Amino acid sequence: MCGIFGGVLKKGAIAPLIHDGLKRLEYRGYDSVGFATIDAGTLQVKKDAGRIDDVVRRLKMNNMPGSMGIGHTRWATHGAPEMVNAHPHTDCNGNLAVIHNGVIENFMELKEELLNKSHILKSRTDTEIIAHLIEEELKGDISLQEAVLKSIRRLEGSYAIAVISTLDPGKILVARNESPLVLGVSKDGTFCASDVPAMLPYTNQVVYLRNGEFAILDQDGYEIRLVSDSTVVERSLEEITWSQEMAEKHGYPHFTIKEINEQPTSLRGALRLQPQYLGLLTALLDRGREVFLLAAGTSYHSCIAASYMFSRLARITAFPAISSEFIEQYGSSVGVDSVVLCVSQSGETYDTLKAIDYARMKASTVLGITNSVGSTLTRVSRAYIIQQSGPEIGVAATKTFTSQLMVLAQLALRLALMKGKISQDEGDDFRENLLRIPDVVEETLNRNKTHVMDLVDKYGGEQLFVFLGRGISSSTALEARLKLLELTYVPSLAYPAGESKHGPISIIEEGVPVIFLCPRGESRKGIVGGIMEMKARGARIISVCEEGDHEIIGLSDDVIEMPKGIKDIFSPIPYVVPLQLFSYYLAVQKDLDPDMPRNLAKSVTVP
Ligand code: M6R
């Protein structure tokens, strides 16, 4: 997730506005920054790694001449946060500049093609190929607009793109597929940005570009066309009435609820990983005599879920290990034949890094899954995957949890196929099921908001909650409970349902709410017994189950019904979502700040 801002002014310099616009988008990424402007027919580019204000001051970017230009604040996805990888990227001749937010899935093959045609690519980004594709198309003696369109038609993946060129120095050409882009018009000029807050100081008259659309901006306005066949699209401006602060949170009152609602998008991002990295991790995982899944907090819950996926799909025993316990628990046995797959949103968690140091000292193979390019985890891992969730501002992990699961599920599936543990047909079936999940999460969010708020009204005064699930749903229970603890501070317990009768059941008394996770699947039979045990002791049962599951619905006081058809091995991804909502709305009801729970830090970098 990166931030884009651009503008064509009728008069005056654009650079200070780009600086201001990018500052307002800093929440989208902040590892490097760059501007490109055109003045007197010459393209100027300045960029570097670092925070926006530091880089702009150091390179005197606010003094760049020109009344039109584009700027970018980066959240690295391909290539480390270094100057060479910062946007804008230019063609071989330095005549055109491109900025991009998103992931180009077919960039390796396009890069190869461009290298064969003697293009010189300087960065490790997927974005740079776009500049060279346009340059290549321009050799066919067509207009800039045609060249940009032809290039965009070749891109697979997600993108919001802005291009400027000395060939047409009064225009910015933009396109969008799945990454946001909004246009704005004022009496002083025309703007484009990843998000409304960037342009609110200049205009509140905006129009949202949709997937598959392309637009040409000049100082007097914009024209929107379809990328597919250049048909002109008529769309009128909308007036934005949000305050600046509301706009940064997309109109939501808190980042946490914004991030919960972003999950359909972040999950689609997690399904768009580069196959070669997935392949590399799969191959390295397969080499291990044993696999440890190492993490802390929410990421540890992902690892617990993954241990079920690896076992069920790939027939691999993978041990989930809490980072702070790893050395004592497994230190003597870990060795050269061990693979340690570390999961860390930040890539900077002290306990995880300390355990990694130890594993490396014992010559184990360390692999990583993280959301932060350039983090320590990416530097100490033999190979790693970036989960593509975009920055998460809320201290409680929400969208990064579901994306971690999506990455781990894909690894488990690849391993299963590679080892021949499932047939190609079964693999296709699992893959199709995974591909449905973003839509299922979207539906879950749409249909449950009011219902969950009603549940918060009904159960909000309770002093204790218990979360139970069987099989992989025990990881969902643990994560749902952690969200309740972090966001509301209400004491609660989470257990594998079968284990609850070995002790925890002693705290159940009349009226205690017990939340059961009951997706259909292998663990579904056993859950009914668990519900009966709790009901017999007076518990009130809230079930998260598949819609139309009449047996569970009949046994429950309240239900959250989930869309049908998701395999239980992937169920933690959608099933945790309504419970994230529950904890969020309960925090709001209690007048707590969900974005910054007490005593917690987003990244725990201390022992
Ligand atoms: O950045 P990491 O994934 O390594 O962070 C691990 C935990 O600190 C983190 O998941 C923490 O538990 C969150 N606050 C959970 O919401």
Side-chain angles (χ1 to χ4, degrees):
M1 201 161 102
C2 306
I4 284 177
F5 183 87
V8 194
L9 296 178
K10 290 180 179 156
K11 61 175 189 314
I14 190 72
L17 278 70
I18 297 178
H19 179 195
D20 181 62
L22 293 184
K23 277 296 291 174
R24 292 168 202 282
L25 294 174
E26 202 169 17
Y27 71 90
R28 297 180 63 83
Y30 36 76
D31 61 44
S32 33
V33 61
F35 297 1
T37 62
I38 296 180
D39 184 53
T42 308
L43 180 74
Q44 299 215 10
V45 176
K46 288 191 180 187
K47 59 182 187 175
D48 205 352
R51 298 300 284 249
I52 295 174
D53 282 343
D54 295 343
V55 176
V56 168
R57 196 178 329 106
R58 190 157 35 84
L59 302 184
K60 299 188 174 48
M61 289 159 77
N62 277 340
N63 298 339
M64 287 171 74
S67 57
M68 66 88 69
I70 52 179
H72 187 269
T73 174
R74 181 164 186 252
W75 174 263
T77 57
H78 290 73
E82 293 164 359
M83 196 272 265
V84 71
N85 294 324
H87 301 208
H89 292 282
T90 52
D91 62 342
C92 294
N93 304 317
N95 287 335
L96 68 88
V98 177
I99 54 177
H100 162 226
N101 166 30
V103 178
I104 306 299
E105 286 163 21
N106 58 338
F107 99 100
M108 290 298 261
E109 63 196 69
L110 292 171
K111 184 171 180 172
E112 184 118 352
E113 177 187 316
L114 289 161
L115 290 174
N116 286 337
K117 289 179 178 163
S118 305
H119 285 261
I120 296 166
L121 286 99
K122 300 182 276 288
S123 75
R124 291 173 62 87
T125 66
D126 50 348
T127 305
E128 190 183 5
I129 56 136
I130 303 169
H132 294 269
L133 277 179
I134 300 169
E135 179 186 16
E136 191 60 31
E137 293 292 352
L138 282 168
K139 289 181 185 161
D141 203 21
I142 54 177
S143 71
L144 176 68
Q145 180 176 321
E146 259 313 300
V148 172
L149 269 170
K150 283 181 103 170
S151 304
I152 288 167
R153 286 179 193 137
R154 301 198 58 202
L155 304 179
E156 289 166 18
S158 61
Y159 49 79
I161 296 167
V163 182
I164 60 173
S165 165
T166 54
L167 283 179
D168 212 340
K171 293 197 174 107
I172 301 179
L173 298 100
V174 299
R176 168 198 163 136
N177 190 45
E178 295 198 14
S179 299
L181 201 64
V182 58
L183 314 182
V185 178
S186 82
K187 62 177 181 14
D188 300 320
T190 311
F191 305 94
C192 59
S194 301
D195 206 349
V196 169
M199 57 177 72
L200 268 187
Y202 314 110
T203 182
N204 64 352
Q205 302 294 314
V206 307
V207 62
Y208 291 90
L209 217 59
R210 297 185 188 158
N211 287 341
E213 290 181 346
F214 166 83
I216 307 122
L217 282 60
D218 64 21
Q219 61 174 24
D220 298 315
Y222 60 86
E223 181 181 69
I224 301 177
R225 289 174 178 268
L226 294 182
V227 171
S228 54
D229 60 5
S230 299
T231 309
V232 174
V233 176
E234 298 295 343
R235 186 166 312 129
S236 32
L237 291 161
E238 290 175 37
E239 185 177 321
I240 297 289
T241 51
W242 303 337
S243 68
Q244 183 71 40
E245 199 206 340
M246 287 284 279
E248 274 170 23
K249 294 173 185 155
H250 265 225
Y252 292 107
H254 300 103
F255 282 109
T256 303
I257 186 68
K258 171 177 175 274
E259 287 155 4
I260 291 172
N261 278 291
E262 266 169 13
Q263 290 178 104
T265 308
S266 51
L267 286 166
R268 286 180 190 117
L271 278 165
R272 247 188 239 113
L273 305 173
Q274 295 291 331
Q276 67 270 32
Y277 296 128
L278 274 172
L280 180 58
L281 257 76
T282 309
L284 289 167
L285 278 165
D286 189 41
R287 280 197 217 154
R289 186 194 59 207
E290 73 222 338
V291 174
F292 294 100
L293 303 167
L294 182 78
T298 287
S299 303
Y300 173 65
H301 298 154
S302 301
C303 290
I304 295 178
S307 68
Y308 288 85
M309 295 172 182
F310 280 43
S311 169
R312 178 100 66 86
L313 297 174
R315 320 286 194 263
I316 283 184
T317 304
F319 302 98
I322 293 183
S323 302
S324 57
E325 291 294 317
F326 179 72
I327 299 173
E328 286 215 37
Q329 195 174 7
Y330 297 113
S332 318
S333 59
V334 72
V336 67
D337 296 328
S338 313
V339 176
V340 184
L341 174 57
C342 309
V343 182
S344 171
Q345 185 284 132
S346 61
E348 298 294 351
T349 296
Y350 175 88
D351 290 332
T352 304
L353 296 180
K354 192 156 176 265
I356 291 173
D357 279 350
Y358 185 87
R360 278 165 44 109
M361 193 258 291
K362 296 288 239 49
S364 309
T365 301
V366 171
L367 308 175
I369 297 176
T370 179
N371 195 30
S372 312
V373 177
S375 61
T376 308
L377 178 55
T378 63
R379 291 198 298 277
V380 296
S381 302
R382 173 98 172 264
Y384 62 87
I385 283 180
I386 302 294
Q387 61 182 81
Q388 312 285 4
S389 311
E392 190 175 63
I393 312 287
V395 166
T398 52
K399 64 173 179 172
T400 54
F401 173 66
T402 49
S403 288
Q404 285 169 348
L405 292 175
M406 189 57 102
V407 175
L408 288 159
Q410 290 171 87
L411 282 175
L413 199 49
R414 276 194 165 236
L415 261 173
L417 283 163
M418 197 176 90
K419 292 167 76 67
K421 300 297 181 188
I422 55 174
S423 69
Q424 191 61 49
D425 281 356
E426 285 171 310
D428 290 347
D429 187 37
F430 278 114
R431 172 97 189 139
E432 269 168 38
N433 209 255
L434 266 186
L435 291 174
R436 272 194 59 209
I437 288 179
D439 292 342
V440 165
V441 168
E442 196 160 353
E443 195 183 331
T444 303
L445 286 163
N446 291 339
R447 68 152 82 148
N448 278 306
K449 183 181 166 192
T450 325
H451 178 47
V452 169
M453 286 166 105
D454 290 343
L455 291 177
V456 166
D457 280 344
K458 183 167 173 185
Y459 294 97
E462 294 301 327
Q463 303 299 309
L464 169 70
F465 285 85
V466 178
F467 294 82
L468 298 174
R470 289 187 79 97
I472 196 165
S473 294
S474 56
S475 68
T476 322
L478 284 166
E479 176 56 14
R481 182 260 189 152
L482 181 60
K483 289 300 86 105
L484 190 78
L485 285 182
E486 288 182 294
L487 296 178
T488 72
Y489 321 143
V490 176
S492 52
L493 212 62
Y495 260 89
E499 182 68 5
S500 62
K501 60 182 172 294
H502 297 288
I505 200 165
S506 61
I507 62 168
I508 300 300
E509 45 187 50
E510 198 65 31
V512 169
V514 180
I515 300 178
F516 275 91
L517 280 307
C518 351
R520 279 202 202 269
E522 288 185 16
S523 58
R524 166 67 180 66
K525 279 184 250 93
I527 209 78
V528 172
I531 295 179
M532 300 305 285
E533 280 164 16
M534 293 292 151
K535 274 178 84 73
R537 275 124 191 122
R540 284 188 292 168
I541 309 297
I542 307 168
S543 297
V544 188
C545 65
E546 201 177 83
E547 62 187 334
D549 189 338
H550 297 297
E551 186 179 18
I552 299 285
I553 294 170
L555 290 172
S556 307
D557 294 270
D558 283 288
V559 286
I560 298 174
E561 291 189 60
M562 299 293 294
K564 283 190 175 153
I566 291 304
K567 294 184 187 296
D568 77 332
I569 198 69
F570 303 141
S571 65
I573 308 177
Y575 276 61
V576 78
V577 171
L579 299 176
Q580 294 170 337
L581 286 176
F582 182 81
S583 296
Y584 169 78
Y585 286 118
L586 187 52
V588 173
Q589 191 208 56
K590 289 179 180 297
D591 211 15
L592 300 170
D593 180 354
D595 286 348
M596 286 190 200
R598 71 183 181 205
N599 304 337
L600 297 178
K602 184 70 189 158
S603 177
V604 183
T605 54
V606 289

